Amino acid sequence: TAPPGLAYVGGGEGHRRFGRAKPLKTQPTSSARFVLCISCMTQPRMVLRGETSMVTRRTLRRHHLFRPDPAIAQLYLYTLGVCAKEFGIQLHAFVLMSTHEHLVVTDTNKRLPDFLQRLHRLVALGTKVLRKWEGPVWDHERSSVVRLMTERAVIEKMAYVLANPVKAGLVQRAAHWPGVTVLPQELGRRTWKIKRPEVYFDADNSKWPDSRCPRHSKDSTPTHKSGTPLPSSSPTKSDSRGRT
């Protein structure tokens, strides 16, 4: 064995030489580059059944693509109802501003990522038709999803959502906002029943129900109740609140 601080550095057969160990010169390897790339990637998001979250997403460069008008409101509410029903999402509060959306939702089936992907895709495609817009609708950043761990956090975020038009200085009272929103007195009371938009959604496709069409039952028409009750202390327990 080599003395402390020395390393075997070579020698002929039957001869050994010891010398001071030299620092190893390491070359970047493919595995090192791989680890570096992984560290730069977006970390996976944990998805839990019964978790309540606040979702925010903005339009590209904050273009006013969602400026309030009846067509945009119909498109967003219809798509929101269809997607929430498909993926088992409970809607507690929501607002659609000219440049962004806010949602407070509970994910009952661990399908929140699927819900957001479908919602944003359909809203974008419909908005492109309504606004005659050729570029991307949503910002390239992924949706902001903030987990609300306590009942107080849920209440605070719901209040933020309901007051968003006022906070932005666009109206003096939340009730004056002409776009999609939920008012405090409507929580758990108001129900929307939305007709299928004339744009994008194929009338011959049964995936897009409409009460005006006799082959679709009344129960299949997209409806959603605003401001469903707050989640109970047992978030994994499912019930009938917030059906859409």
Side-chain angles (χ1 to χ4, degrees), residues 22-26:
K22 297 181 180 180
L24 294 176
K25 295 183 179 180
T26 59

Side-chain angles (χ1 to χ4, degrees), residues 47-53 87-90 92 105-115 235-236:
V47 180
L48 301 175
R49 178 178 284 108
E51 184 175 73
T52 300
S53 305
F87 296 107
I89 301 297
Q90 296 177 352
H92 301 298
V105 301
T106 294
D107 182 3
T108 65
N109 293 327
K110 298 196 296 186
R111 299 295 302 278
L112 182 61
D114 299 324
F115 163 74
T236 58

Side-chain angles (χ1 to χ4, degrees), residues 1 7 21 24-25 58 102 121 127 129 150 167 213 217 221 236:
T1 59
L24 294 176
K25 295 183 179 180
R58 303 187 182 280
H102 290 303
R121 178 178 180 273
T127 300
V129 177
T150 65
K167 179 179 179 296
C213 184
S217 67
T221 304
T236 58

Side-chain angles (χ1 to χ4, degrees), residues 9-180:
V9 295
E13 184 178 354
H15 301 277
R16 291 187 177 183
R17 288 191 302 113
F18 291 93
R20 290 290 173 181
K22 297 181 180 180
L24 294 176
K25 295 183 179 180
T26 59
Q27 297 294 330
T29 63
S30 58
S31 60
R33 288 194 294 270
F34 175 76
V35 172
L36 180 61
C37 291
I38 289 295
S39 66
C40 297
M41 294 175 61
T42 302
Q43 296 300 312
R45 178 183 294 153
M46 183 180 296
V47 180
L48 301 175
R49 178 178 284 108
E51 184 175 73
T52 300
S53 305
M54 178 177 172
V55 178
T56 300
R57 194 170 188 189
R58 303 187 182 280
T59 59
L60 181 69
R61 299 176 184 172
R62 302 198 180 189
H63 289 296
H64 287 237
L65 296 175
F66 301 142
R67 55 189 180 275
D69 63 44
I72 281 291
Q74 181 186 19
L75 169 69
Y76 188 80
L77 288 172
Y78 179 88
T79 308
L80 188 64
V82 168
C83 294
K85 182 176 182 179
E86 178 180 358
F87 296 107
I89 301 297
Q90 296 177 352
L91 305 172
H92 301 298
F94 48 86
V95 63
L96 183 65
M97 305 293 286
S98 297
T99 62
H100 62 279
E101 67 172 0
H102 290 303
L103 303 166
V104 177
V105 301
T106 294
D107 182 3
T108 65
N109 293 327
K110 298 196 296 186
R111 299 295 302 278
L112 182 61
D114 299 324
F115 163 74
L116 293 178
Q117 181 185 36
R118 183 72 58 83
L119 171 67
H120 293 151
R121 178 178 180 273
L122 294 176
V123 169
L125 293 172
T127 300
K128 287 185 177 184
V129 177
L130 291 174
R131 299 297 191 223
K132 296 179 174 56
W133 185 261
E134 296 183 356
V137 170
W138 298 103
D139 187 84
H140 297 306
E141 296 292 330
R142 65 188 297 187
S143 301
S144 167
V145 179
V146 178
R147 298 171 61 189
L148 307 179
M149 306 298 293
T150 65
E151 187 171 292
R152 178 177 179 179
V154 176
I155 295 174
E156 289 178 350
K157 292 304 183 183
M158 288 181 64
Y160 177 86
V161 170
L162 302 183
N164 205 244
V166 178
K167 179 179 179 296
L170 301 174
V171 292
Q172 291 186 343
R173 296 179 178 274
H176 297 165
W177 178 242
V180 176

